[in-house]
Amino acid sequence: KAGVTQTPRYLIKTRGQQVTLSCSPISGHRSVSWYQQTPGQGLQFLFEYFSETQRNKGNFPGRFSGRQFSNSRSEMNVSTLELGDSALYLCASSLGLAGLATDTQYFGPGTRLTVL
Amino acid sequence: AQKVTQAQTEISVVEKEDVTLDCVYETRDTTYYLFWYKQPPSGELVFLIRRNSFDEQNEISGRYSWNFQKSTSSFNFTITASQVVDSAVYFCALSEVGSGAGSYQLTFGKGTKLSVIP
């Protein structure tokens, strides 16, 4: 089975711009979660999508948004970029079934975003 | 609020030495899952193990072993006979039930960078 894929792998933007990152989950996985990784804050949860609906959200400003398509692929968007948004953005997919018994989040290689 | 503490920021060992990575967690949930992930320089988080809160049996997988002790809220990871390929950042994580039914998010520790010197 193919793993989680993320595009692009690297991105350079300037302050004030917006950016869209893409994530394709493992086939059959319906849940996609996004995490931000920075040296200072570590790995932080952004949001989770399941069946095209945002099911869970972390403590990030509204500039961070996402969506999920009917094929479970997900995109996240960051508007009005700030220098502090420079980070590795990781996407994880899981089956998304109710309860925790069968679910493990599998991560993609990440998109490294640099804001100048 | 949930919390995961990995007190060891960086560890260096010589190849073939054993090394233990510590993880201490805090949660009010009675049902939860603990995870270990490995992050090599390429950046991708590689899943290593999941353990639920009701299963305190230790687990061994090749050179890897995990010791889960609910009494001390610890979930430590030991690599036996370390190899250069084990060099990576290792993260311990705790599941946290999300607001949506069936949803959960991971709370990560800050990670331990392991360097295995040949």
Side-chain angles (χ1 to χ4, degrees):
Chain A
K1 245 185 196 181
V4 178
T5 58
Q6 292 186 245
T7 56
R9 293 293 312 278
Y10 302 91
L11 211 46
I12 299 175
K13 292 285 187 179
T14 56
R15 277 181 298 174
Q17 288 187 310
Q18 76 166 18
V19 66
T20 299
L21 313 181
S22 180
C23 171
S24 293
I26 292 170
S27 177
H29 285 191
R30 296 170 62 191
S31 169
V32 173
S33 297
W34 289 89
Y35 292 82
Q36 181 196 63
Q37 184 177 24
T38 60
Q41 299 299 316
L43 280 151
Q44 294 184 288
F45 171 73
L46 280 157
F47 32 64
E48 184 229 1
Y49 286 85
F50 177 78
S51 290
E52 302 178 64
T53 301
Q54 187 181 85
R55 191 165 65 168
N56 196 10
K57 190 177 188 304
N59 295 323
F60 277 81
R63 299 186 297 108
F64 292 82
S65 63
R67 59 177 176 168
Q68 187 180 35
F69 303 94
S70 58
N71 61 358
S72 294
R73 190 177 70 84
S74 176
E75 289 181 347
M76 71 162 278
N77 184 275
V78 187
S79 62
T80 318
L81 283 166
E82 300 177 359
L83 294 179
D85 297 333
S86 294
L88 180 66
Y89 290 88
L90 291 160
C91 160
S93 81
S94 65
L95 291 169
L97 301 175
L100 306 179
T102 58
D103 244 359
T104 291
Q105 292 186 6
Y106 295 93
F107 285 80
T111 294
R112 187 164 294 282
L113 171 65
T114 301
V115 182
L116 303 177
Chain B
Q2 308 208 141
K3 187 178 178 181
V4 176
T5 301
Q6 294 180 255
Q8 305 148 308
T9 306
E10 291 192 43
I11 300 176
S12 289
V13 298
V14 176
E15 201 171 20
K16 297 185 183 178
E17 285 185 344
D18 299 347
V19 58
T20 295
L21 309 182
D22 298 333
C23 173
V24 174
Y25 63 92
E26 297 175 28
T27 181
R28 291 182 180 178
D29 293 343
T30 53
T31 302
Y32 53 88
Y33 279 77
L34 293 160
F35 300 80
W36 276 95
Y37 286 88
K38 172 183 179 180
Q39 188 176 43
S42 60
E44 180 175 350
L45 282 171
V46 178
F47 166 73
L48 295 177
I49 191 172
R50 179 186 74 215
R51 171 67 73 225
N52 76 53
S53 53
F54 296 109
D55 182 3
E56 289 193 65
Q57 285 192 358
N58 292 333
E59 180 153 342
I60 298 174
S61 176
R63 296 184 297 106
Y64 295 170
S65 62
W66 290 269
N67 182 287
F68 175 33
Q69 292 197 334
K70 215 168 173 178
S71 60
T72 56
S73 297
S74 65
F75 185 42
N76 297 336
F77 173 31
T78 298
I79 302 174
T80 303
S82 59
Q83 300 176 1
V84 173
V85 293
D86 295 328
S87 296
V89 181
Y90 291 85
F91 290 93
C92 179
L94 172 66
S95 64
E96 179 176 359
V97 175
S99 51
S103 172
Y104 78 95
Q105 66 202 57
L106 294 175
T107 298
F108 285 89
K110 293 293 188 185
T112 297
K113 182 178 180 181
L114 174 65
S115 298
V116 181
I117 304 164

